[in-house]
Amino acid sequence: MVGPDYARTMARYNAWQNQWMFQACNELSDAQRTEDRGLFWRSIQGTLSHSFWGDMIWISRFDGGAGPEAPLTDTADAYDWPTMMVERPKLDARIAAWAWGTDDSDFEGDLSWYSQGVGRQMTMPRTLCAMQLFNHQTHHRGQVHAALTALGVKTVDTDLPFMPDEVPEWV
């Protein structure tokens, strides 16, 4: 069931995966990060920028905090690399703070918002929206993982059962 335990596990998983992936991407040249690799958001950097934007929009719907300023159509270029390297750990901490602050009631009922993507008001179950927050991240990290693998970058395991008990602090 989707609830506090699910959100906490997925927030830990999110931080763990983002930590190694951003560190690996930081070792790439700017050209390698920004080259069109045929990903949905073109480049590694564009895909990570879109994912950052998506995390911002979804967590703002849950915690009432600030959302992204860029429209959906500009998400691939919304965040430059230095900004993401500084802000990604903060966003992961924000997602974790939300997850650890939830109780069962936070997953009851519906969540409503205006979607730029479809141009209308949306209402969906809170459980489905929580799944979307984490599924969206995993989907786009998978694209970046494939691009890194194609570049010969050593990647880490991405399977939930192998997540470390403690997610190390970002360096």
Side-chain angles (χ1 to χ4, degrees):
M1 281 294 184
V2 175
D5 288 342
Y6 169 84
R8 292 167 190 157
T9 298
M10 293 308 293
R12 282 184 52 242
Y13 177 77
N14 172 58
W16 171 48
Q17 289 298 301
N18 282 333
Q19 181 182 20
W20 79 259
M21 186 168 283
F22 272 74
Q23 288 173 347
C25 290
N26 201 44
E27 298 297 317
L28 299 175
S29 69
D30 287 340
Q32 288 173 310
R33 271 195 310 276
T34 58
E35 181 181 341
D36 188 336
R37 298 189 177 280
L39 306 178
F40 193 79
W41 296 95
R42 300 182 309 275
S43 67
I44 289 170
Q45 184 169 315
T47 299
L48 291 174
S49 177
H50 168 76
S51 184
F52 188 94
W53 183 94
D55 288 355
M56 287 279 294
I57 196 79
W58 279 106
I59 197 61
S60 73
R61 292 171 181 159
F62 285 112
D63 72 4
E69 294 179 13
L72 175 63
T73 54
D74 296 343
T75 61
D77 301 312
Y79 305 99
D80 63 24
W81 190 250
T83 299
M84 283 193 289
M85 283 300 293
V86 169
E87 297 299 323
R88 182 76 250 185
K90 295 175 188 176
L91 182 54
D92 290 344
R94 178 179 171 189
I95 293 168
W98 167 77
W100 264 265
T102 62
D103 61 32
D104 288 335
S105 68
D106 293 299
F107 298 90
E108 295 171 357
D110 293 333
L111 182 67
S112 295
W113 71 96
Y114 181 82
S115 170
Q116 293 177 359
V118 296
R120 65 179 164 87
Q121 190 69 23
M122 301 281 298
T123 299
M124 297 292 226
R126 286 177 137 341
T127 53
L128 182 71
C129 294
M131 287 188 284
Q132 173 61 20
L133 166 65
F134 297 112
N135 187 61
H136 183 260
Q137 299 165 353
T138 302
H139 164 70
H140 288 301
R141 275 195 308 264
Q143 292 176 321
V144 173
H145 187 280
L148 290 172
T149 301
L151 285 167
V153 173
K154 182 176 178 353
T155 60
V156 303
D157 204 324
T158 61
D159 295 326
L160 277 163
F162 305 115
M163 180 171 49
D165 292 334
E166 295 291 325
V167 177
E169 292 294 319
W170 279 61
V171 177

